[in-house]
Amino acid sequence: MRISDLLAMPELRLRLLSGDPSREFSTVHITDLPAPGRYLSGGELVLTGLMWRQSPGDSAAFVAALVEAGVAGLGAGQAWLGHVPADLVEACREAGLALFEVPTEISFRTVAEVAVPRLAGDVRDALGRQRRIVAAVAEGADLPELFALTAAELGITATLLSATGAPLVGPLPESEETVRLARDYLTAARLPTRSGNFTIFAVGRGHRAAGWLLACEGDLMDRADLGYELAAGLALERSRMEEGRRVERRLAEQLVGAALADADQAELTARLRTCGIEAAEPYAIVDATAAARGPDDAALGGQVIEELLAREVVAPAGADGAVALVPLRGTTVDELSRRLRRGADVLAALPDTRVCVGVSGALTGAAAIRGGVQEAGHARRLAEARGGGVVTSDEIYTHALLLATVPGDIRRSYADRLLQPLVDYDRGHQSDLVRTLATFLDCTGSWNACAERLHVHVNTVRYRIRRVEELTGRDLATMADRVDFFLALQAL
């Protein structure tokens, strides 16, 4: 019930003195203790006869105790002093606490007797909604049906989004706004939180990178119970969906395991069909890891794949990451990769989470699974070497793949051994040998092109390259030494 609901009752003749009356309260507490904080749990409407006030300075301390306890508002009676003192009004105004005056002829018991039945009615309404939601889930209502039922019952306009900002149910289309909502959800210190004209709630518990968010239109921070109620119903449906996906995930895991074990092609084709992909239907394989503090990386990787793909596919989690078979129905590998990149860019808002995704080329038939898994795995390892992101199979058949397969300490040792003399020289002489070398190689050894890009004279480039050769003992006129330098620069 809201304080404004009480103020609107003419028989009570309450008068607002300060603050926002739209705050909702959960119970009524009557006290004249000067320090009542230990007896308050938050959300109460406090009624006081002001007997605690011995001097004007007492008001600030009393109000501070109420605010610290998280009460919704304060009603002050006139019977003791004959009025509500200005110092109490000022203390409530400074603290942002709603304060109203209770006339002498209206007892606190009367106010409580009016409020308590209304509060009990709110509880009964909530229980009734919960029974209808549970019944709808038991009868097999799908996510859109459950969402529409619950939102209508609560009178909320909302959109359910994945952690990457992809709309799952609701009126909002995918846009920069949904991406902003997802980033605010991922980075909020606590939930619910405000984001523009929306209030964001988490659906279920677990790592935010693999979660859902509920974006409710308007400010529901003072009516958070409504958002929590809708989120709880959706979490119930999500749990039911997860139960069904465990079977699908196990089938996909068995398919990948059989393919890597060189199982019979007829068996693989049958398993592929069981996973919902026909033998002649094109598909791609996605391999991902998601490193985070707390949850198991492999398990989180599987959940993140499902959220990146709007839960269209099943991703079995293995010791080395999670693998998903994605049917290319009406889309291409390029479009799939773009969608994954958009999602991974949003998840990058979480400082403690790193998503690495590899995508194979387009495949058909069960015989291609083994090679596709290996291809996606190579691409994912290249993404890890780059520090995160999405890598496609088109990018792996270069020197970058070779570097990605070399342990990081060996790459660093190789680069240091070849380039450290140049780094030390640059540091000691304020020179630019490393950048000049990189630009020279990028210009395929053209003196003039390198000089033009660096905005220096061509003789300066010649001098710097000669110093590079002297310091390293290499000859940049030979292809072998150019390749060595190029790889060392890439390995930095």
Side-chain angles (χ1 to χ4, degrees):
M1 185 177 183
R2 294 178 185 273
I3 296 173
S4 57
D5 296 333
L6 285 178
L7 295 173
M9 297 178 183
E11 67 272 21
L12 296 180
R13 299 191 298 282
L14 307 177
R15 184 166 68 93
L16 183 70
L17 301 179
S18 73
D20 180 8
S22 66
R23 285 290 303 275
E24 189 177 57
F25 62 94
S26 56
T27 187
V28 177
H29 184 86
I30 301 172
T31 184
D32 272 303
L33 293 173
R38 72 181 69 179
Y39 303 106
L40 300 169
S41 57
E44 298 95 343
L45 173 63
V46 173
L47 301 178
T48 181
L50 302 176
M51 297 182 68
W52 47 266
R53 183 184 178 277
Q54 303 301 314
S55 67
D58 295 338
S59 292
F62 183 78
V63 170
L66 299 185
V67 171
E68 184 177 359
V71 304
L74 173 65
Q78 296 178 316
W80 176 251
L81 298 177
H83 67 287
V84 177
D87 47 88
L88 179 60
V89 176
E90 181 61 25
C92 289
R93 181 177 292 112
E94 290 184 358
L97 182 67
L99 169 67
F100 60 86
E101 179 184 72
V102 182
T104 302
E105 62 272 18
I106 302 296
S107 70
F108 290 162
R109 179 179 178 180
T110 299
V111 176
E113 286 178 345
V114 170
V116 170
R118 289 283 299 273
L119 290 169
D122 291 343
V123 173
R124 285 194 299 272
D125 290 343
L127 289 174
R129 285 193 297 268
Q130 286 298 316
R131 283 195 295 270
R132 289 190 288 274
I133 291 169
V134 172
V137 172
E139 292 170 5
D142 61 14
L143 183 61
E145 291 171 336
L146 183 65
F147 185 86
L149 168 67
T150 312
E153 290 259 9
L154 295 170
I156 294 177
T157 300
T159 298
L160 181 65
L161 304 169
S162 74
T164 64
L168 303 175
V169 187
L172 286 181
E174 187 167 7
S175 63
E176 288 301 317
E177 185 172 40
T178 61
V179 168
R180 174 182 58 78
L181 290 169
R183 287 199 172 105
D184 289 347
Y185 155 78
L186 291 168
T187 57
R190 61 179 58 87
L191 295 169
T193 188
R194 289 298 309 281
S195 176
N197 190 42
F198 295 86
T199 306
I200 299 175
F201 295 83
V203 175
R205 297 181 179 181
H207 199 277
R208 291 188 190 180
W212 288 353
L213 64 133
L214 182 65
C216 301
E217 291 188 17
D219 185 355
L220 291 187
M221 296 301 288
D222 290 335
R223 298 297 309 276
D225 59 309
L226 298 180
Y228 284 131
E229 192 171 337
L230 177 53
L234 297 173
L236 187 63
E237 173 61 13
R238 176 172 174 145
S239 297
R240 187 181 71 168
M241 292 170 62
E242 182 61 24
E243 286 297 323
R245 286 186 171 273
R246 285 198 181 101
V247 176
E248 298 173 348
R249 191 176 295 116
R250 187 163 58 250
L251 292 172
E253 189 170 13
Q254 290 170 354
L255 169 62
V256 172
L260 295 178
D262 288 327
D264 178 75
Q265 290 303 304
E267 177 190 347
L268 290 178
T269 300
R271 288 185 180 275
L272 186 64
R273 188 175 295 110
T274 302
C275 291
I277 302 175
E278 295 299 324
E281 185 178 5
Y283 62 92
I285 292 178
V286 177
D287 187 321
T289 57
R293 297 188 192 127
D296 176 75
D297 288 358
L300 179 61
Q303 296 167 26
V304 167
I305 285 185
E306 292 184 352
E307 298 308 326
L308 286 174
L309 296 164
R311 302 183 72 82
E312 293 177 6
V313 298
V314 176
D320 196 33
V323 177
L325 275 71
V326 187
L328 298 175
R329 294 170 182 142
T331 188
T332 64
V333 171
D334 288 343
E335 178 53 38
L336 170 64
S337 301
R338 280 193 291 271
R339 190 182 355 152
L340 290 167
R341 285 194 179 94
R342 284 196 300 268
D345 287 345
V346 176
L347 295 179
L350 271 175
D352 62 341
T353 300
R354 186 186 68 165
V355 177
C356 303
V357 182
V359 186
S360 75
L363 309 168
T364 55
I369 294 175
R370 180 186 176 91
V373 169
Q374 294 173 342
E375 193 173 80
H378 288 318
R380 188 256 302 162
R381 283 186 284 276
L382 180 53
E384 290 173 344
R386 292 177 176 177
V390 179
V391 173
T392 65
S393 61
D394 291 339
E395 301 174 68
I396 65 173
Y397 295 112
T398 67
H399 66 278
L401 175 61
L402 297 177
L403 288 175
T405 60
V406 176
D409 56 341
I410 296 179
R411 289 200 307 272
R412 286 188 295 272
S413 175
Y414 175 77
D416 290 346
R417 187 177 186 87
L418 198 55
L419 299 177
Q420 196 60 49
L422 308 183
V423 173
D424 292 341
Y425 188 89
D426 282 345
R427 187 181 295 119
H429 296 79
Q430 302 298 309
S431 57
D432 210 7
L433 295 186
V434 174
R435 188 165 76 98
T436 300
L437 172 62
T439 305
F440 180 73
L441 294 174
D442 195 43
C443 293
T444 63
S446 170
W447 304 102
N448 291 326
C450 182
E452 185 177 346
R453 187 176 299 183
L454 292 174
H455 305 291
V456 297
H457 194 275
V458 66
N459 287 340
T460 301
V461 174
R462 292 182 184 277
Y463 168 76
R464 291 178 181 176
I465 294 301
R466 189 163 58 251
R467 289 297 295 149
V468 168
E469 293 176 331
E470 291 171 354
L471 290 168
T472 61
R474 300 298 186 107
D475 182 3
L476 278 163
T478 67
M479 179 59 70
D481 284 348
R482 287 190 183 187
V483 169
D484 285 345
F485 276 124
F486 176 78
L487 293 177
L489 289 165
Q490 297 300 308
L492 279 177

